[in-house]
Amino acid sequence: MKLALVVPCYNEEEVLEDTTKQLCELFDQLQKKGKIDEESYILFVNDGSKDQTWNLISKFNEQEKWVSGLNLAANVGHQNALYAGLMTAYKNVDATISIDADLQDDINVIENMIDEFNKGNDIVYGVRNDRTSDSFFKRFTAQSFYKLMTVMGVKSVYNHADFRLMSARAVEQLGNYKERNLFLRGIVPLIGYNTSCVYYARKERMAGESKYPLKKMLSFAFDGITSFSIKPITMISWVGFLAIVFSVCAMIYTFIGHFVGNTVSGWSSLMISIWFLGGVQLLSIGVIGQYIGKTYVEVKERPRYNIDVLLESKSVGKEND
């Protein structure tokens, strides 16, 4: 089979050399085993890095037969960069596999993914079965994220990030989902086709810092929820109803206080009611505003990314000779 391994990169100069070495060695082994053919390649997608990431990709493209490079004209975010790589690669391969550049995901299960693909599965998810390498906070927030997504009605694979194999026809169908607010973990399960999972323990990051600090994790989670579920708006309605009930109780308490002459204590209940209702209103406007903002972005239909440079690997070049 002809395979493209898509690796989105943003400021990854600290890990890129080791990552390239490991992936090229893996491709050598897979070719010797007959799992992939010589026209397979590794596509590094540079997402507007500010360090030497693209220069390193260009150098490895000259030195290594497997390495291709895609340089985006600006930083468009992890999901759009991954999408750009998939859309660039799928047309001339049988399947694509996406993996992050830090190689915390176990590259040894890529062979298992290929085996599952050969069994007739169009999508193979890499699923973590062990989070011991994570801190308590990271483990707690990640598990809470998946549970919250389920509660909100978003269909996703538990403990799966963006390490997955997709057949060419599955990626082609992915291209039919036109939303600009990409949340691939929620979109891919909607495609259908035969699916399977391979399980692995995630390793610690080799070097550098995580590209998903708490702020980005919260933003990513909120994007996923608001892109796939209207339950937050429904919840706002219920919060509004409870606020009305609370306000009625406060009103009754105020009237009772007035008739018994306890007007001073009534001032507290009035202030609580004002602040409570004001907070509910601001929260509600904010959530609804997120949906309106997403609609605003979608209707403009701006391109998700612009390609600056595409460097083909030497293995791809063989096909064109």
Side-chain angles (χ1 to χ4, degrees), residues 155-218:
K155 185 178 180 181
S156 62
V157 179
Y158 189 74
N159 274 341
H160 162 72
D162 288 305
F163 183 32
R164 70 179 74 87
L165 177 148
M166 298 180 69
S167 67
R169 71 167 186 161
V171 179
E172 183 178 13
Q173 290 303 315
L174 176 64
N176 291 328
Y177 291 79
K178 302 300 183 181
E179 56 257 50
R180 266 55 189 166
N181 297 285
L182 281 177
F183 185 70
L184 295 177
R185 301 179 199 183
I187 295 176
V188 172
L190 300 178
I191 294 175
Y193 297 146
N194 292 332
T195 63
S196 181
C197 296
V198 296
Y199 298 89
Y200 66 98
R202 204 170 196 226
K203 299 176 289 186
E204 294 183 2
R205 184 177 173 87
M206 293 183 294
E209 298 179 354
S210 171
K211 301 303 184 294
Y212 274 92
L214 178 61
K215 182 180 179 181
K216 279 193 174 182
M217 287 173 58
L218 292 174

Side-chain angles (χ1 to χ4, degrees), residues 13-229:
E13 65 177 351
E14 294 182 77
V15 301
L16 197 58
E17 183 172 358
D18 192 43
T19 294
T20 303
K21 180 181 177 181
Q22 291 189 47
L23 293 178
C24 287
E25 289 176 353
L26 173 68
F27 267 48
D28 288 336
Q29 295 171 7
L30 292 175
Q31 185 188 13
K32 290 177 181 178
K33 292 181 179 180
K35 299 288 184 177
I36 62 174
D37 67 31
E38 61 179 4
E39 294 176 0
S40 301
Y41 59 94
I42 303 162
L43 179 62
F44 288 104
V45 183
N46 181 44
D47 183 24
S49 297
K50 298 178 182 179
D51 59 7
Q52 296 300 309
T53 296
W54 178 244
N55 291 334
L56 289 172
I57 293 172
S58 301
K59 183 180 76 170
F60 297 141
N61 172 254
E62 292 292 327
Q63 296 175 349
E64 303 287 347
K65 70 174 184 177
W66 300 113
V67 175
S68 293
L70 179 67
N71 190 39
L72 301 182
N75 176 258
V76 294
H78 178 272
Q79 296 290 280
N80 283 314
L82 176 54
Y83 182 87
L86 293 173
M87 291 298 114
T88 301
Y90 87 91
K91 295 179 181 179
N92 61 351
V93 296
D94 299 307
T96 64
I97 294 179
S98 56
I99 189 170
D100 288 341
D102 56 19
L103 295 192
Q104 285 185 277
D105 300 309
D106 187 0
I107 63 174
N108 294 314
V109 301
I110 288 179
E111 182 175 350
N112 303 120
M113 288 181 165
I114 294 172
D115 291 339
E116 291 298 316
F117 170 76
N118 290 331
K119 292 178 183 177
N121 293 294
D122 285 274
I123 301 172
V124 183
Y125 298 104
V127 180
R128 298 180 63 175
N129 59 7
D130 184 8
R131 284 190 172 269
T132 55
S133 63
D134 290 344
S135 64
F136 170 79
F137 178 77
K138 175 70 173 179
R139 186 163 54 249
F140 173 77
T141 53
Q143 292 174 345
S144 299
F145 165 75
Y146 288 110
K147 291 176 181 178
L148 179 61
M149 296 293 283
T150 301
V151 171
M152 290 295 174
V154 181
K155 185 178 180 181
S156 62
V157 179
Y158 189 74
N159 274 341
H160 162 72
D162 288 305
F163 183 32
R164 70 179 74 87
L165 177 148
M166 298 180 69
S167 67
R169 71 167 186 161
V171 179
E172 183 178 13
Q173 290 303 315
L174 176 64
N176 291 328
Y177 291 79
K178 302 300 183 181
E179 56 257 50
R180 266 55 189 166
N181 297 285
L182 281 177
F183 185 70
L184 295 177
R185 301 179 199 183
I187 295 176
V188 172
L190 300 178
I191 294 175
Y193 297 146
N194 292 332
T195 63
S196 181
C197 296
V198 296
Y199 298 89
Y200 66 98
R202 204 170 196 226
K203 299 176 289 186
E204 294 183 2
R205 184 177 173 87
M206 293 183 294
E209 298 179 354
S210 171
K211 301 303 184 294
Y212 274 92
L214 178 61
K215 182 180 179 181
K216 279 193 174 182
M217 287 173 58
L218 292 174
S219 176
F220 188 61
F222 197 74
D223 279 345
I225 292 170
T226 54
S227 294
F228 284 86
S229 174

Side-chain angles (χ1 to χ4, degrees), residues 222-223 226 232-233 236 277-294:
F222 197 74
D223 279 345
T226 54
I233 294 180
I236 286 174
L277 288 174
V280 169
Q281 290 171 349
L282 289 174
L283 175 64
S284 302
I285 292 171
V287 173
I288 295 172
Q290 286 291 324
Y291 283 93
I292 295 173
K294 287 183 180 294

